[in-house]
Amino acid sequence: MQRVASIAAMQRLARQWQRAGRRIGLVPTMGCLHAGHLSLVKRARQATGKDGVVVVSIYVNPTQFGPNEDFSKYPRDLKRDLKLCRDAGVDVVFTPRDQEMYPRWGEATDEPAREDAHPASFSTYVVEEKLSRTMEGASRPDHFRGVTTVVAKLFHLVLPDVAVFGAKDWQQATIIRRMVADLNFPVRILVAPTLRERDGLAMSSRNKYLTGGLRAQATVLWCSIQVARATIKKLKIFPAAKMKAAVKKLVECEPDARLDYVEFFDPDTLLPVSKVKRGTHLALALFIGKTRLIDNARL
Ligand code: AMP
């Protein structure tokens, strides 16, 4: 396994692979890897075949964090990540630097740069304008602009035939699919299922923040999904407003939990529905203490 940090070296390698006719699979991550990430690696390997190459990018992208979010505190453990990637049969781990991704950022500070502090050397963003407005986009302004921009950059640098994203971030995966279609990126997007802990909590790098009694309270995300599923199984159709109220009530039973949003929507268009039925998608975000967690599922 090779670690590549330089953008020029990554592009050179990708071009070589392309010329040699090798299929390239990319798994973009922010590191602090867990079994969920590794399931995407496996999916990428399946899709590229034994002559293909699998690249995992590890980059905590400053432009997708808001000013009061956890960019500087986001868990980082590159040594462990490299070992996990090696054991998973990854060919290249790509770890670009802030200075190259966003020239001048990350030089003096590890705080994310703000809009007014953007250097003159970076002013081009990729913005998806419809699907990005609701849910995560409403709660985290500019988040998806950072995501689409960095993913577009990674596609240019790694030249993947296939890129794998997790259903854990359903809205993100849907926006990436739209970006790829709208901008004609020659890449196939695969969306792999969410891996969960035994008690249903979706695996996430941020679960590390859940100390003491907070970890147990976090199962309320999975409970909410289960309750919604059971309701639809029994009643077939149910008003979204009532279901939202029920989820809110469930979340409020946990002393340190606060609901940010819960939404019921069409899984492709992300448009909210007023009646929930089988096939409707549920997504929710909540704070457990200071940690913001998200989850989603098809009902
Ligand atoms: P992150 O490092 O959190 O940016 O995630 C990198 C990729 O892994 C994204 O496509 C996520 O959707 C995906 N991912 C994160 N958690 C899980 C999980 N529990 N199961 C499957 N995929 C996941």
Side-chain angles (χ1 to χ4, degrees), residues 119-293:
S121 50
F122 194 87
S123 57
T124 305
Y125 293 87
V126 177
V127 183
E128 191 289 323
E129 297 200 323
K130 277 198 184 129
L131 307 172
S132 301
R133 294 193 197 277
T134 59
M135 299 187 281
E136 288 302 283
S139 290
R140 305 179 68 190
D142 291 342
H143 169 67
F144 285 122
R145 181 183 78 158
V147 170
T148 42
T149 300
V150 81
V151 171
K153 283 166 75 72
L154 290 170
F155 286 176
H156 287 310
L157 303 178
V158 179
L159 306 179
D161 297 283
V162 178
V164 189
F165 292 83
K168 159 80 181 0
D169 299 277
W170 186 265
Q171 188 178 12
Q172 167 176 286
T174 308
I175 290 167
I176 299 292
R177 279 170 43 211
R178 174 65 61 88
M179 175 186 83
V180 161
D182 285 351
L183 299 184
N184 309 97
F185 278 96
V187 53
R188 188 156 66 100
I189 302 299
L190 300 177
V191 182
T194 303
L195 247 70
R196 299 179 177 281
E197 304 288 354
R198 288 172 79 90
D199 62 3
L201 178 66
M203 289 181 184
S204 163
S205 309
R206 289 191 169 100
N207 291 352
K208 285 213 162 37
Y209 300 142
L210 301 171
T211 51
L214 297 178
R215 172 62 185 81
Q217 294 183 48
T219 55
V220 73
L221 288 140
W222 181 236
C223 289
S224 303
I225 291 171
Q226 297 289 71
V227 165
R229 276 194 173 143
T231 308
I232 293 312
K233 197 164 175 202
K234 197 165 151 205
L235 302 176
K236 307 291 181 229
I237 188 155
F238 199 75
K242 272 191 171 174
M243 196 90 102
K244 283 184 188 179
V247 168
K248 187 159 193 287
K249 218 166 153 191
L250 199 66
V251 171
E252 279 167 358
C253 291
E254 302 297 337
D256 300 299
R258 181 169 61 80
L259 185 68
D260 183 3
Y261 67 79
V262 52
E263 195 55 86
F264 296 90
F265 56 95
D266 176 278
D268 296 314
T269 63
L270 306 186
L271 289 173
V273 296
S274 56
K275 299 256 186 279
V276 182
K277 51 191 181 202
R278 207 172 150 211
T280 299
H281 218 91
L282 153 66
L284 73 169
L286 47 87
F287 286 92
I288 302 281
K290 288 188 180 134
T291 303
R292 189 171 180 281
L293 299 175

